[in-house]
Amino acid sequence: MSKSHKQKSEHTNPFLFSIELGFFAGFIWGGVRWLIYTLRFTKVIPGFLAEPFFKHEFLMTPAGHLLGYLCFIAFSVVASLLYVLILRKLKGPWPGMIFGVLCWSAIFLAGSWQFLQQRMFRLPWNTVVSEFCIFLLWGLFIGYTAAMEYTDERKREQQTKLA
């Protein structure tokens, strides 16, 4: 096997990586979102992203919760695609945390007229803080995972030692 072929096969495909990353980010943090809703830390229903497309009464049912969970996974896949395609070379946890805060801001500040039943400033503070923290950790998960995959120096050091 030639040296150039060996190096090409070891690079991660950004598209497939971001789909996998987004799925697990949505699966894990969507589950945490559902849990904090169940424990009444937030009043924002799990299906808030589906609010423009489905009736609020449906989204309050178990089927609506499942639909909301799946919508959060789809949202996470799209968000991770954007992050990996644009910001994957940034190092450390901060870019991912800023990305999570920007997504939270886009949904809860700019998009509150479309996604949420109530405006953000009318929501209880424990809801605002809980949602902020979930999106902060969700962004950290996406950003730091992408940073470790695309900027990890240990992988490159092993490749140069083998060559």
Side-chain angles (χ1 to χ4, degrees):
M1 192 169 8
S2 70
K3 185 177 177 179
S4 64
H5 178 66
K6 186 177 181 182
Q7 286 178 344
K8 285 182 184 178
S9 66
E10 291 178 7
H11 291 290
T12 303
N13 181 336
F15 183 73
L16 295 176
F17 173 76
S18 60
I19 289 174
E20 183 180 10
L21 172 61
F23 172 78
F24 284 107
F27 184 75
I28 294 166
W29 296 105
V32 172
R33 273 204 81 258
W34 177 82
L35 183 64
I36 68 167
Y37 175 78
T38 303
L39 296 174
R40 300 177 193 254
F41 285 104
T42 182
K43 291 188 182 262
V44 178
I45 60 173
F48 76 100
L49 289 172
E51 193 91 47
F53 310 107
F54 294 91
K55 292 188 178 200
H56 185 75
E57 295 78 28
F58 169 71
L59 294 174
M60 297 296 291
T61 65
H65 285 204
L66 179 62
L67 176 72
Y69 191 40
L70 295 174
C71 284
F72 193 79
I73 291 172
F75 170 73
S76 297
V77 168
V78 171
S80 69
L81 275 166
L82 287 173
Y83 190 91
V84 168
L85 292 176
I86 298 169
L87 304 170
R88 72 176 175 241
K89 295 291 184 178
L90 298 177
K91 295 180 181 183
W94 292 105
M97 292 168 72
I98 293 168
F99 180 73
V101 170
L102 290 175
C103 288
W104 175 84
S105 299
I107 290 172
F108 284 86
L109 297 175
S112 65
W113 59 272
Q114 189 175 15
F115 293 115
L116 302 174
Q117 194 70 13
Q118 298 176 1
R119 296 254 185 250
M120 191 202 78
F121 295 110
R122 292 190 179 157
L123 290 170
W125 281 106
N126 60 337
T127 293
V128 174
V129 170
S130 297
E131 293 290 339
F132 180 82
C133 290
I134 291 296
F135 274 88
L136 183 76
L137 293 171
W138 169 84
L140 175 66
F141 181 85
I142 290 174
Y144 205 61
T145 304
M148 289 303 293
E149 182 65 28
Y150 288 101
T151 64
D152 192 11
E153 293 296 323
R154 290 178 294 169
K155 286 183 183 179
R156 282 186 242 151
E157 286 176 9
Q158 289 176 354
Q159 288 176 354
T160 56
K161 286 179 184 177
L162 293 174

